[in-house]
């Protein structure tokens, strides 16, 4: 259910946690002794709505409520005392929760339920109700104690988060379909033009983009995504045994729009390593690390290090960077990022840097 639907239904938070409580002498029950006085003072001060019911009277009526209970429900004490708590229920109250309350009363057990209640003005609110028995010194049931806390804001946040995740799943499904369609078009075009090798290279890059986006959509609703999750998704196909690529990042996050350039750059690095570098033999490894750092221009940046070792010796920088790296450089430039490459004798060392505004 959307927030708009809840508002149309009259769902409204009481702002219970921040509302001042003013002791109301009319709520005094007349409990005897020092403990009774302490109880009344505590009930007057607490922001939690509290009531007591008498199970020995017909229909277990409310015999005490504090000021917070009056403010939460909109009813005055004289409209509350003598009534069963069910008067706060309404058309959309979950009867399964009502049954749990009824069963707890019958078995004299403690129960905590989240239930939709209604105020005097007809507006509704989500109420976390704690209900339990109170016994006297002889172990005889005397009262039932009920405390109510308005959790409407929390419930709305849950509903919005659930809606966002459902939307993210739908977008993820559609994106998979889009990448599949693109892949099909590329393959058909490649066959028709007798350029299967070119089509395969294009398709590899398209699928790398798809893998980088696929696991990030649930996170994207928060405004940022986990970098490590996207990196692992892109590189997983190049290390099927899971022992050649070493990840040493942390929980760094970045904007979703940066992930396409990062994903494609990692794909080109992994492809190069598979053909010529550390992943082209049986013993080489690649270490991939990521963290937030200050770049050369003192900007907050996401930096991803790529360090190959154990592969064939490198004589020096190749004569041509290759089409793949040219594409990665171009994409990163659109995000004001860079891909620096150092053709070290022990293996390629690369640094992807992307400026970010959020962490």
């Amino acid at each position: 259910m959307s927030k708009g639907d809840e508002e149309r239904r009259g769902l409204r938070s009481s702002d219970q946690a921040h509302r001042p409580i003013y002791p109301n002498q009319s709520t005094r029950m007349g409990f005897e002794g020092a403990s009774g006085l302490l109880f009344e003072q505590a009930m007057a001060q607490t922001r939690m709505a509290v009531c007591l019911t008498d199970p020995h009277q017909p229909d277990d009526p409310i015999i005490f409520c504090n000021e917070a209970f009056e403010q939460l429900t909109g009813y005055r004490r004289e409209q509350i005392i003598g009534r069963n708590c069910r008067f706060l229920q309404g058309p959309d109250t979950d009867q399964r929760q009502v049954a749990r309350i009824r069963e707890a009363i019958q078995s004299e057990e403690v129960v905590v339920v989240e239930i939709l209640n209604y105020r005097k003005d007809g507006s509704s609110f989500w109420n976390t109700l704690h209900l339990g028995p109170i016994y006297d010194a002889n172990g005889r049931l005397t009262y039932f104690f009920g405390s109510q806390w308005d959790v409407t804001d929390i419930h709305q946040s849950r509903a919005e988060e659930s809606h966002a995740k459902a939307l993210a799943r739908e977008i993820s499904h559609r994106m998979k379909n889009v990448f599949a369609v693109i892949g099909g078009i590329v393959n058909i075009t490649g066959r028709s033009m007798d350029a299967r090798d070119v089509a395969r290279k294009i398709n590899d890059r398209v699928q790398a983009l798809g893998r980088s986006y696929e696991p990030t959509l649930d996170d994207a609703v928060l405004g940022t995504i986990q970098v490590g999750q996207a990196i692992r998704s892109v590189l997983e196909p190049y290390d099927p045994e899971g022992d050649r690529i070493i990840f040493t990042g942390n929980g760094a996050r970045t904007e979703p729009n940066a992930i396409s350039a990062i994903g494609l750059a990692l794909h080109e690095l992994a492809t190069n390593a598979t053909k010529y570098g550390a992943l082209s033999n049986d013993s080489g490894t690649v270490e991939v690390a990521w963290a937030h750092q200050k770049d050369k221009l003192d900007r907050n940046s996401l930096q991803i290090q790529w360090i190959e070792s154990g592969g064939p010796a490198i004589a020096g920088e190749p004569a041509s960077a290759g089409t793949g790296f040219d594409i990665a450089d171009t994409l990163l430039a659109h995000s004001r990022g860079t891909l620096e490459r150092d053709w070290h004798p022990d293996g390629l060392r690369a640094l992807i840097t992307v400026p970010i505004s959020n962490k």
Side-chain angles (χ1 to χ4, degrees), residues 83-263:
R83 303 176 71 177
N84 185 282
C85 289
R86 77 172 69 89
F87 80 97
L88 295 175
Q89 299 169 17
D92 290 323
T93 301
D94 189 343
Q95 292 304 305
R96 291 171 298 182
Q97 301 304 317
V98 174
R100 289 184 61 197
I101 296 170
R102 184 166 54 248
E103 291 167 4
I105 292 173
Q106 291 173 350
S107 57
E108 299 182 16
E109 294 179 348
V110 174
V111 68
V112 178
V113 300
E114 190 172 284
I115 190 168
L116 187 71
N117 281 159
Y118 291 80
R119 301 185 182 86
K120 183 180 179 180
D121 65 5
S123 62
S124 56
F125 65 100
W126 283 101
N127 175 22
T128 293
L129 168 66
H130 178 284
L131 180 69
I134 295 178
Y135 300 95
D136 63 17
N138 298 318
R140 177 177 176 270
L141 177 65
T142 306
Y143 306 112
F144 274 103
F145 173 89
S147 65
Q148 293 84 16
W149 192 257
D150 184 356
V151 293
T152 301
D153 291 340
I154 297 174
H155 199 278
Q156 287 178 327
S157 296
R158 287 185 202 147
E160 290 169 0
E161 181 180 357
S162 176
H163 175 72
K165 287 185 176 180
L167 181 60
R169 286 191 295 270
E170 176 63 21
I171 294 174
S172 177
H173 175 71
R174 295 193 181 196
M175 283 188 68
K176 289 178 184 178
N177 289 340
V178 168
F179 283 116
V181 170
I182 292 173
I185 293 172
V186 170
N187 287 334
I188 292 171
T189 304
R191 287 197 301 269
S192 66
M193 299 180 66
D194 197 22
R196 287 179 172 83
D197 187 56
V198 174
R200 179 184 57 77
K201 292 178 180 179
I202 294 174
N203 235 337
D204 286 345
R205 292 178 177 122
V206 170
Q207 298 311 312
L209 289 176
R211 289 194 304 273
S212 66
Y213 273 110
E214 182 179 336
T216 64
L217 288 172
D218 280 350
D219 264 359
V221 300
L222 304 176
T224 60
I225 61 171
Q226 282 197 4
V227 175
Q229 187 181 26
I231 289 176
R232 290 185 180 91
S233 296
V234 172
L235 297 180
E236 182 179 13
Y238 302 97
D239 185 18
E241 301 299 323
D243 58 357
R244 304 289 297 279
I245 301 179
I246 304 166
F247 300 101
T248 58
N250 54 21
R253 304 179 71 87
T254 192
E255 294 92 340
N257 58 9
I259 202 59
S260 57
I262 292 171

Side-chain angles (χ1 to χ4, degrees), residues 291-312:
H292 289 131
Q293 303 285 350
K294 292 287 187 178
D295 67 8
K296 297 176 181 178
L297 300 177
D298 199 37
R299 298 175 298 185
N300 289 327
S301 298
L302 171 67
Q303 292 190 346
I304 302 172
Q305 290 185 318
W306 176 279
I307 302 175
E308 297 183 30
S309 60

